Every structure is written in structure tokens, then in C-alpha cells.
Amino acid sequence: MKSAPSPAAFYFRRASRCYQQTRYVESIQHYLNGLELDVPPHYIYADLAKTYEMVGKWDSALACIEIALQLCPDSSTAFRRKTRFIDEKHCYEKLIFHSGVLQKLEFPPPDFLRMLTKKSQTVPRTLNPQVHPESHWCIELERFNLTCDAMMSGQTVWHISQLIQQTYSEIGNLLACYPSRPVFLSIINTNRTRGLQGSLPNWASGSYDYASGIQIAYCAFIEPVLGPLYSLIRHEWVHLLIHELTENRCPMWLDEGIAQCLARPMFQYEQHYVKQASRNGSLLPFIALNCHFSQIPAKKRKLAYLQSAMMSGYLIQQFGFEEIRQLLYQLRDGVPAETAIEQSFAMTLKEIQMEAVS
């Protein structure tokens, strides 16, 4: 006769289910509830660590993974995750440090606070009858209009606005292009508005659409972690500028690749992932990389982004942004992508890929 599962196992199953549904804050709470009832095997701590990673809590993730390694020192999964957490933590901390935003005013200036308003947005009951009317921070500035989750502090909204200003200047300078009209940005915590992301697809954390602007979704207890958020803003801002530069004629792999390269450096494990795919002969064909990535099977989507980033990163490193801009101008003028690339770099796509992943 089988013994009944422990009360802790109930919470761990719910935690796993919430993780699969990208409900990371709920998942963490279920893990913690289960830990109060039982001492679990090492992989529960490793999975909790991975969930902390998804909300940008790398110190908590590292603390959990250390417990997992104490319980099972030879766990290759736990060791691999620890290496990944350290890589991500250092990358995002460096990214936000070099933005200079946190070294500026500690508190928002009075003019900013006077323009910052809190607006209610009633959620249609047909979408989710359990959700009460939401409110958001809104501010309209010269270069962009920003909407943020109302649970953020005014200081966080100020920091985000400064990150957008930094993105406007830095990315605009690299691509020699600036938005032709004010940009609408919506930055919402999915922990509070689950299922109400509008046009944002489930597989993405950010999206750009010419009509509606930039949407960023993050999952956090209350405040977003600024490093990953800054990376997402930069990524979608690049899409916006490439859309304007090429009049929407850029091949998908190049669009996504440049966006990823300018958003943040590639992690070491990401580079290893692509090189391993190359050794295994499982890189995606260019016909797939020219399609919208939502059409690529979910299991291959990560590879599509990283493969594109490595190729674009190679071109940027070898030829510089001046040549990249000239390529984008050719695409705008209607030159076929493969022809424009060969004219700009004297290399075929296959040669570029081979050099990029070597």
C-alpha cells in the first residue's frame, strides 16, 4: 500500500506548476511553504533557486543553490545553475552601474513628481472578473510617455525614466537614429496583472509594435530589478529604431541579433550553448531565422535568438557600427538582404555564421 504524499509535496507540486505558468512569485511562496513542513531533497532547493533567478533575486538564488550543493555535492545541475546565476548577476550589476542612473539623484526632482500621475484603468470583467480596477503611474515627457505598475515607488519610476533617457541617447548615437515621434512604453508587473498583458505573447518579456509602442512585462514581488529591465528596454528600443531605419525591411535574425547585442553582453553559457549546437550540427537554417521567431518551435526559440546574437555580434565587432548602418540603409532601399550583406562585408551568410560560432 502506497503511503500518502507528504504535505510538503503538495506545495512543491503547486510551485512547479506555477513556475511552468510563469507565475514565479506564487511559485516561490509555495516552495517556502513546503520548506516549513519538510527537509526536501537537493533538487527542490535547486528548483527554488531557479525560480528566484526568474525574478532577479540572484543572492537568494545563490543561497539556495549552495544548500543544494551541500546536500548533493556532485549535482551537475546545481553546479551549472550556480555558474549561470553568478554570470547573470555580474552582467546585470555591471550594466546598471555603467548606466550611471543609480549614481544620480537619490530622489526624483520636484518637476518630475509634479508631472507623475496615478491613473485607474478598469479591467473589463469579461477578461477576468476576479481582478479589481488597476492603477498605474503615468508620465508624459518630451521623448516618451511612460506607464508603470502603481506598486512601484516614485523613485523607481524616476530611475526607469532615466534609463529610457540613457537608452535614447546611447542607442540613438550608435545607430545614428532617433524616434520620429514620442515613444509609448508600458512596464507592468505580471505578478499583479496575470493574463492581462494585451498583445504581449506568453513567450516574450518585451515586445515592440509600431502602433502601440513598447511593452515590457516583468514578474516581481513589488519593485522590478533594474538590470534586466534596462536590458529589455534597450532590446525593444533597438527594434523601434531598426523599424524606422529600414522601413521594416530588416531580416528577423539581424533585427533580433542587433537588439540582443545592444541590450547586454551574451552570457558565457549562452555562447557555449550556440557552439555546442554548431558542433552537433543542430544550428537553425537561415530560412527559419528569417521568419518571425514566434513561428519557430518553442524548444528552438532560444537557439534562434542566441544564434542571431552571435552572428550580429561578430559583424559589429569586425566591421563596426558605421558598416552596420550602411547595411541597414541598403535594406531600406530595397536591396535583398543576402546581396546587401555580401556587398557590405564580402562574406556570405554561411561564412559569417561559421566565423561567429568558431
Side-chain angles (χ1 to χ4, degrees):
M1 182 176 179
K2 291 184 178 180
S3 60
S6 69
F10 167 78
Y11 285 110
F12 296 148
R13 285 196 298 272
R14 292 193 67 177
S16 178
R17 186 162 57 249
C18 287
Y19 181 92
Q20 295 299 323
Q21 296 169 347
T22 70
R23 294 155 54 187
Y24 303 120
V25 172
E26 290 181 61
S27 179
I28 289 169
Q29 191 56 60
H30 288 311
Y31 276 122
L32 295 179
N33 289 340
L35 290 176
E36 291 181 355
L37 300 174
D38 196 4
V39 177
H42 79 280
Y43 61 83
I44 293 295
Y45 282 102
D47 287 347
L48 173 56
K50 184 173 65 171
T51 313
Y52 273 123
E53 175 195 20
M54 300 307 293
V55 296
K57 297 291 186 180
W58 286 284
D59 288 339
S60 297
L62 286 167
C64 290
I65 213 69
E66 287 294 352
I67 297 174
L69 286 168
Q70 289 172 13
L71 294 172
C72 185
D74 61 349
S75 171
S76 59
T77 297
F79 184 79
R80 185 174 63 251
R81 288 179 185 175
K82 178 181 178 179
T83 303
R84 186 176 78 218
F85 300 158
I86 293 172
D87 195 6
E88 292 173 349
K89 174 180 165 64
H90 288 171
C91 172
Y92 285 123
E93 287 180 349
K94 186 176 180 180
L95 184 67
I96 202 68
F97 176 80
H98 284 298
S99 74
V101 165
L102 298 184
Q103 288 75 49
K104 295 180 180 179
L105 293 175
E106 183 177 357
F107 299 104
D111 287 348
F112 181 86
L113 291 176
R114 279 194 291 269
M115 291 186 289
L116 187 61
T117 60
K118 188 174 287 189
K119 297 181 179 179
S120 293
Q121 177 182 340
T122 302
V123 178
R125 295 183 66 82
T126 53
L127 285 178
N128 190 338
Q130 303 301 319
V131 176
H132 298 290
E134 296 286 348
S135 59
H136 301 104
W137 288 117
C138 300
I139 188 165
E140 295 185 9
L141 300 172
E142 180 182 359
R143 294 169 175 170
F144 59 88
N145 298 333
L146 176 62
T147 298
C148 290
D149 189 275
M151 292 297 289
M152 289 184 195
S153 65
Q155 181 181 3
T156 299
V157 180
W158 159 250
H159 283 150
I160 291 172
S161 75
Q162 295 302 292
L163 291 173
I164 297 170
Q165 294 281 12
Q166 177 74 10
T167 300
Y168 179 96
S169 300
E170 184 178 337
I171 304 299
N173 181 60
L174 288 172
L175 294 178
C177 179
Y178 300 89
S180 58
R181 60 179 184 172
V183 179
F184 291 88
L185 296 101
S186 175
I187 301 175
I188 302 300
N189 187 354
T190 58
N191 181 44
R192 300 182 63 242
T193 58
R194 187 172 68 250
L196 300 175
Q197 296 179 30
S199 61
L200 195 66
N202 292 331
W203 51 269
S205 297
S207 69
Y208 164 71
D209 179 80
Y210 182 78
S212 57
I214 292 172
Q215 291 187 68
I216 303 291
Y218 67 94
C219 186
F221 292 90
I222 297 178
E223 299 281 5
V225 180
L226 291 180
L229 187 61
Y230 184 34
S231 174
L232 286 169
I233 291 170
R234 291 167 66 90
H235 186 108
E236 300 307 328
W237 200 275
V238 173
H239 286 321
L240 182 158
L241 296 185
I242 288 180
H243 182 277
E244 294 206 6
L245 272 171
T246 67
E247 297 179 359
N248 204 27
R249 293 185 176 128
C250 188
M252 186 59 64
W253 72 266
L254 185 62
D255 192 352
E256 290 292 351
I258 296 174
Q260 189 63 23
C261 289
L262 296 188
R264 60 162 175 81
M266 287 187 74
F267 301 130
Q268 292 181 6
Y269 69 83
E270 292 175 331
Q271 298 177 39
H272 176 76
Y273 183 82
V274 179
K275 290 180 179 182
Q276 186 64 45
S278 177
R279 289 192 290 268
N280 295 340
S282 57
L283 290 175
L284 294 167
F286 287 106
I287 190 171
L289 295 178
N290 283 329
C291 299
H292 197 283
F293 285 4
S294 63
Q295 300 174 17
I296 296 175
K299 290 184 178 180
K300 292 287 188 177
R301 207 168 287 147
K302 173 183 175 182
L303 179 59
Y305 279 102
L306 297 181
Q307 191 175 330
S308 300
M310 285 196 74
M311 291 175 61
S312 299
Y314 170 80
L315 294 176
I316 292 169
Q317 184 178 35
Q318 293 296 314
F319 301 98
F321 276 100
E322 178 59 35
E323 289 299 327
I324 296 295
R325 289 195 295 268
Q326 293 304 316
L327 169 62
L328 296 176
Y329 296 150
Q330 289 189 68
L331 295 173
R332 177 198 59 195
D333 294 339
V335 178
E338 290 195 34
T339 302
I341 287 169
E342 291 189 26
Q343 289 177 351
S344 297
F345 309 119
M347 299 177 72
T348 65
L349 286 174
K350 288 187 177 180
E351 289 171 337
I352 292 169
Q353 178 171 271
M354 184 169 58
E355 290 295 325
V357 302
S358 63

